[in-house]
Amino acid sequence: MSLQTHCAKHLEVETTLRCSKCGKPICPRCMFQTQVGARCRECAQLRRLPIYTVSPGYYLRAAGVALGMAVATGFMWNLLRQIFFFPFLNVVLAAGIGFAIGEVMSRSVNRKRGRGFQIIAGIAVFLSFVTRNSFASGSVIWGLFYSFSLFDLFGIIALGLGIFMAVTRLR
């Protein structure tokens, strides 16, 4: 005697599998393995991890911290670049700044993660780079122009590395 029925969600799939809690017929695509057996989505009570559950207040806090870090690190980046001048220093400083921005942001939002925080961190590293060039040139407009000129090729490479470090810190 065959007890095959059709999956409650996928009516075209025949199955003998049932949810261990409610007894609803489920197919292998609908099944979630738990400690007490196979369950349907409703009975398994799947929730998003708390580390990825983010309220708007966390985004505001992250943006404020990121803006403060961008200005502070941009100023320090310019200062260190003027004191110790060699081409690869930009790359090393950018990696450190990206890591610092990502880490401080992460701590300010209780180690929450998400794409929104990654975007904010990437923008903060970019603002740090523009701030560095603005302090160096004495003008925000000239700093923006210099940020995207080929005269600062190591700076553009450093910017990419800094953004990478900040984003991976918040994955």
Side-chain angles (χ1 to χ4, degrees), residues 43-171:
C43 293
Q45 296 179 349
L46 297 178
R47 292 185 201 100
R48 207 162 180 209
L49 289 174
I51 198 168
Y52 294 106
T53 306
V54 182
S55 66
Y58 282 111
Y59 286 116
L60 287 173
R61 187 184 316 168
V65 167
L67 182 62
M69 284 292 293
V71 172
T73 56
F75 176 74
M76 291 304 295
W77 193 352
N78 179 51
L79 188 66
L80 289 172
R81 225 182 75 191
Q82 288 177 356
I83 295 172
F84 309 105
F85 185 76
F86 59 94
F88 293 110
L89 179 66
N90 255 347
V91 177
V92 173
L93 286 175
I97 286 169
F99 182 85
I101 288 174
E103 182 64 23
V104 170
M105 271 185 58
S106 176
R107 289 180 186 220
S108 73
V109 295
N110 298 331
R111 301 282 186 194
K112 299 274 187 186
R113 301 278 188 256
R115 186 162 312 275
F117 293 135
Q118 293 172 356
I119 291 169
I120 292 170
I123 291 171
V125 173
F126 173 75
L127 289 176
S128 178
F129 183 69
V130 170
T131 302
R132 175 203 81 161
N133 291 336
S134 297
F135 280 125
S137 66
S139 161
V140 173
I141 302 298
W142 181 250
L144 279 170
F145 170 73
Y146 188 72
S147 295
F148 297 109
S149 68
L150 290 178
F151 300 117
D152 193 17
L153 185 59
F154 282 114
I156 293 171
I157 293 169
L159 174 63
L161 180 63
I163 290 173
F164 174 77
M165 291 295 288
V167 167
T168 55
R169 194 73 204 113
L170 293 164
R171 267 195 192 148

Side-chain angles (χ1 to χ4, degrees), residues 12-70:
E12 70 279 358
V13 178
E14 289 186 6
T15 184
T16 58
L17 188 62
R18 293 186 174 275
C19 173
S20 65
K21 186 173 183 181
C22 68
K24 179 169 54 172
I26 53 176
C27 68
R29 288 189 296 179
C30 299
M31 176 186 77
F32 291 94
Q33 190 63 41
T34 64
Q35 294 175 349
V36 293
R39 292 212 171 160
C40 63
R41 176 177 291 276
E42 293 80 27
C43 293
Q45 296 179 349
L46 297 178
R47 292 185 201 100
R48 207 162 180 209
L49 289 174
I51 198 168
Y52 294 106
T53 306
V54 182
S55 66
Y58 282 111
Y59 286 116
L60 287 173
R61 187 184 316 168
V65 167
L67 182 62
M69 284 292 293

